[in-house]
Amino acid sequence: MRDFHDSITFRMNVVARKASLGLQHGLKRYDVTPEQWSVLNVLNHKAPISQKHVAELVEKDAPTVNRIMDVLVRKDLIVKIVDEKDRRVTLLSLSMEGKQKVQMIRNVVEMTCVQFYKGISDAELGVFLDILMRIENNLE
């Protein structure tokens, strides 16, 4: 049984690494990393949003998200705005350039995902996602 579990864990790591590298390759021409994409994607759907909330949604710690934000600000992809209701809070949104880049990147991400999941039905992916979520819950 131990070899079986080791095999599953090893395979999950290999697939995660290959998926990350595949996505990284697709994003390279846009000068965006997968980590930066995860933040841009959250901002595209949830902005304006606080940095703390972004960190929760992308499941990264605050210092990591802060570094990603700094890079994205320097690339003119996001803007920081002081919250009118609470001046201690900085809200993040996509810049106009960021909005345009997100639309271009979304196409690349969707094509990459089509390749990743080729030959696998939505029902199978649903079962797989359920299993992954159960494993994740066991790890918490």
Side-chain angles (χ1 to χ4, degrees):
M1 192 63 151
R2 181 176 176 188
D3 288 342
F4 179 67
H5 290 144
D6 287 348
S7 182
I8 292 170
T9 302
F10 176 76
R11 190 60 35 215
M12 282 185 358
N13 282 316
V14 168
V15 170
R17 191 172 50 254
K18 285 183 176 183
S20 181
L21 287 172
L23 184 57
Q24 186 175 359
H25 179 73
L27 297 175
K28 191 174 188 176
R29 68 181 142 194
Y30 298 102
D31 190 30
V32 172
T33 66
E35 293 78 17
Q36 292 168 0
W37 166 247
S38 67
V39 169
L40 290 170
N41 192 40
V42 164
L43 292 178
N44 187 52
H45 290 90
K46 304 282 186 179
I49 185 174
S50 71
Q51 184 171 320
K52 179 182 177 185
H53 198 181
V54 170
E56 291 169 1
L57 291 171
V58 297
E59 296 187 23
K60 296 194 181 300
D61 60 50
T64 300
V65 171
N66 190 41
R67 284 191 299 275
I68 293 169
M69 295 298 173
D70 288 344
V71 170
L72 294 174
V73 166
R74 283 195 304 274
K75 291 180 178 183
D76 294 322
L77 298 178
I78 66 170
V79 292
K80 294 181 177 184
I81 306 159
V82 176
D83 188 348
E84 293 177 4
K85 297 175 186 166
D86 185 348
R87 300 198 53 79
R88 298 170 294 172
V89 175
T90 301
L91 299 175
L92 304 163
S93 294
L94 293 174
S95 66
M96 191 56 81
E97 184 177 340
K99 289 177 185 178
Q100 292 170 348
K101 193 167 261 197
V102 162
Q103 294 312 312
M104 290 186 293
I105 292 171
R106 177 160 310 292
N107 293 332
V108 170
V109 171
E110 288 176 7
M111 289 187 312
T112 302
C113 287
V114 165
Q115 182 63 33
F116 286 171
Y117 307 128
K118 183 172 56 178
I120 305 169
S121 72
D122 287 348
E124 290 171 309
L125 287 172
V127 170
F128 180 63
L129 181 59
D130 179 60
I131 292 168
L132 285 176
M133 290 173 66
R134 290 179 2 213
I135 292 169
E136 183 179 358
N137 287 336
N138 290 342
L139 295 172
E140 293 176 358

